[in-house]
Each structure stands twice: as structure tokens, then as C-alpha cells.
Amino acid sequence: MSQSINFKRHRRLRSSNAMRSMVRENHVRTEDFIYPIFVIEGEKIKNEVPSMPGVHQLSFDLLLDEVKEVYELGIRSVIFFGVISEKDEIGTGAFAEDGIIQQATRLVKKEFPELLVVADTCLCEYTSHGHCGVIHDHDVDNDESLKLLAKTAVSQAEAGADIIAPSNMMDGFVAVIRQALDEAGYSHIPIMSYAVKYASAYYGPFRDAADSTPQFGDRKTYQMDPANRLEALREAESDVAEGADFLIVKPAMSYLDIVREVRDNFNVPVVAYNVSGEYSMVKAAAQNGWIDEKALVMEKLTSMKRAGADLIITYFAKDVAKWLKEDN
């Protein structure tokens, strides 16, 4: 080749696995994960969620075994979701002292004090209508719902939750919860806000797992329009101003542009929620032999880190932790 032709030799830094590892810009680590666990009433219950292979609803007597496995894999954070049979119009089970999440939190923190327990602060799993707040005239009453959400957050902190994660998408929820926590003596408890939560079709399998499908209408009056980008920045800006310590973007896979926007505009940890639909699509394709599951999952989670996520809530956490141990 003529010596007069000049071009960059980018392949020099891809010449071997060791070289590629040396210059790799983003890494997926076990410490990055928050693992979701569904807790159900009863005993000796381990129900696999039909639409989420490998994910189970677990009763209290089996919960510690699950958490022990998670902890031994090096995962240091979990988020609990409750599955209950007795529901009412205002979601009393969300803020009851003996609520399912409160009991699970006490149990796990007693046995695993170093494990971080994130409490999902919402009402939808506990309301008879499946919406994230109080219903008036067939709509969610924002300000009345805030009172119950604040009560829920305080009850979760009292039970020992390390982080409060409100997912309800009511206006002003961070401000009201922050004030309630501070007044109750929990000014040290951080808020991991579901700041940017889209009204997404990717949530279907979760609603099977948590039994939280709305009984009428949908959640489009409080969750965000998937078409909107600037709205995401307005939502995140409000939550940071109100006292959010973390910002969650949900879902992750189709919203990596939003993860990057949030990362570039706000100086707090950013969390990507790799939601149930994203999980189930991969599992279904893997079961049919259409994809290399490990390679695809690692590529997908790496893309979330590359987009700017500091942490990832993912149902793949145990799988990936095992793969990373094998690779090491």
C-alpha cells in the first residue's frame, strides 16, 4: 500500500482479549445491581411468574433463602414488592405497620444488616382498583394520594428500609415524602425517585407478578408519554429540587437516550430500571434458542452503563452475578 495514504489504526486496541479489556470504558459489576423480589402472603409458596421465567413470588419462610443466595453472589441491594390478597380502595396494606413489605424488611435487615433494602413506595399493589393513588371521580386524586404515600414512606423507614423509592408519579411526591421523613426523624434516609417513569407497554409481566393491573382505565394521566424527551428533564429537575438523592429512568432499554440526558444534566446517581418486559423478551428468545442469552444480556446491561447509569435494577442480577463469578 502506498505510504502516502494516512488513516487511523483503531484495530490496534482490539488485537486481543487482554488489550480489549485494558481499554474497556464501561464495566458491569455485581455491585451495580438492585435485585427485585416479590413477597407473597402465606407459607411454603414459591410461585414462578408465568411471564417471567426464573422469577418467583416467595412467602416469608422462603425469603431468607433467596436473600442468602443473593448476598452470597455479591449483590448488596434488593427492592421488595408485595403481593397481598386483601386490598381496599386506599391501599391500607401499603402503610400498615404489619404490612407485607414492612415485615419483609424487618426480617431481612435482622439477618442481613449490611444488605441495602430499597422500599418501593406506591399504592397500586394494595388498592382494589390497581391505581397508584386515591380515586375520586374515576381519576387519581394527586394531593390526597400524597398524604398516603408519605405515610407509607415513614412506615417503611420505621421498618428499617435503607432507601425510599417512590414510584407513583404524583406531582410533588418527593417534596411531601422528604418532609414526612424529616419530621419523623429519618432525615438520613435517601430518596431514590422514579423521576422519569413512562406509561410503557414493557410493564405487562410485572403486573402479573405483583397483581397490580389497573381495574379500569390506564396510568397515562400520571405516567409519562413515551414520545416526550423534554418532559423527562422537567420531571427530573423537579425531583432534584424537591430533595431526590437518586433518579430512576424506567424503562431502560428503549429509553437510553433519556438515561444519557439525565446523566448529563443532573449530578446525582442515575438508576436504569431494566423492566419486566425487557427481561421476558430475552428469556423467551433464549428458551427458543434464538439468541445467546449471556452475550445479549451483558451487551444490554453494558449499554445502560454506557448511557450513563450508575446502578441498574434488573431481574437478571443473579444470572449476571453467576456469569461474572465464572468469568473470574
Side-chain angles (χ1 to χ4, degrees):
M1 184 174 293
S2 172
Q3 293 302 308
S4 63
I5 299 176
N6 291 315
F7 52 86
K8 299 292 185 181
R9 297 281 183 179
H10 298 294
R11 291 179 58 189
R12 291 171 182 154
L13 301 186
R14 304 174 197 148
S15 60
S16 67
N17 186 53
M19 182 69 76
R20 291 189 296 274
S21 296
M22 175 182 284
V23 299
R24 185 162 294 135
E25 299 173 32
N26 294 282
H27 300 267
V28 173
R29 307 175 307 149
T30 305
E31 293 85 353
D32 299 331
F33 297 142
I34 301 170
Y35 183 60
I37 298 177
F38 297 95
V39 187
I40 192 169
E41 298 170 321
E43 294 181 353
K44 296 182 172 60
I45 297 175
K46 186 177 182 179
N47 296 331
E48 185 170 40
V49 180
S51 56
M52 299 180 70
V55 173
H56 299 82
Q57 298 169 331
L58 297 167
S59 53
F60 288 122
D61 53 319
L62 302 179
L63 178 59
L64 288 180
D65 288 340
E66 176 77 355
V67 173
K68 182 175 185 287
E69 180 187 7
V70 167
Y71 195 82
E72 289 178 347
L73 285 169
I75 299 165
R76 290 294 178 263
S77 182
V78 297
I79 182 167
F80 290 140
F81 298 97
V83 184
I84 65 171
S85 56
E86 295 293 326
K87 304 186 180 189
D88 59 30
E89 287 292 303
I90 63 171
T92 303
F95 49 83
E97 183 179 351
D98 61 348
I100 192 166
I101 297 305
Q102 288 78 358
Q103 291 186 61
T105 301
R106 292 188 187 98
L107 177 66
V108 168
K109 288 300 293 184
K110 180 180 179 181
E111 298 297 324
F112 299 92
E114 296 303 312
L115 184 74
L116 289 174
V117 172
V118 182
D120 179 77
T121 307
C122 198
L123 304 178
C124 62
E125 297 145 51
Y126 310 97
T127 55
S128 53
H129 46 73
H131 279 281
C132 301
V134 178
I135 300 296
H136 286 156
D137 298 324
H138 293 281
D139 193 18
V140 177
D141 187 317
N142 192 92
D143 294 7
E144 285 300 310
S145 300
L146 290 176
K147 298 174 185 177
L148 298 183
L149 292 164
K151 193 173 181 180
T152 300
V154 171
S155 74
Q156 292 169 335
E158 288 174 345
D162 298 287
I163 299 172
I164 299 299
S167 60
N168 51 86
M169 287 299 285
M170 297 297 109
D171 290 336
F173 68 90
V174 174
V176 170
I177 288 173
R178 181 72 273 160
Q179 181 179 5
L181 289 171
D182 291 352
E183 290 177 352
Y186 298 106
S187 60
H188 61 290
I189 298 293
I191 293 175
M192 181 182 286
S193 170
Y194 285 71
V196 182
K197 184 177 180 180
Y198 286 92
S200 173
Y202 284 106
Y203 302 152
F206 174 92
R207 292 172 183 171
D208 292 341
D211 189 24
S212 61
T213 302
Q215 299 304 298
F216 68 89
D218 52 41
R219 294 175 177 149
K220 293 180 180 178
T221 65
Y222 45 103
Q223 295 178 0
M224 290 174 48
D225 185 338
N228 292 353
R229 179 181 67 86
L230 296 178
E231 183 182 11
L233 297 178
R234 293 196 297 271
E235 287 280 2
E237 182 178 25
S238 294
D239 286 8
V240 169
E242 292 172 16
D245 301 284
F246 304 78
L247 297 173
I248 299 175
V249 177
K250 179 182 180 183
M253 191 168 69
S254 291
Y255 298 86
L256 294 182
D257 59 322
I258 305 301
V259 174
R260 172 47 59 188
E261 292 268 17
V262 172
R263 170 72 289 149
D264 287 347
N265 282 276
F266 303 99
N267 190 26
V268 297
V270 175
V271 185
Y273 198 140
N274 179 209
V275 299
S276 60
E278 299 168 356
Y279 172 87
S280 296
M281 288 190 300
V282 173
K283 285 293 184 180
Q287 287 180 347
N288 280 282
W290 297 337
I291 60 167
D292 179 334
E293 181 180 359
K294 177 181 175 182
L296 191 147
V297 170
M298 294 304 296
E299 180 177 342
K300 183 170 70 166
L301 297 182
T302 300
S303 76
M304 295 172 196
K305 294 296 296 290
R306 188 185 65 242
D310 300 289
L311 304 169
I312 303 172
I313 302 173
T314 180
Y315 304 96
F316 286 113
K318 290 201 301 182
D319 291 339
V320 175
K322 292 172 185 175
W323 295 334
L324 291 175
K325 278 182 176 289
E326 291 168 2
D327 290 346
N328 289 334

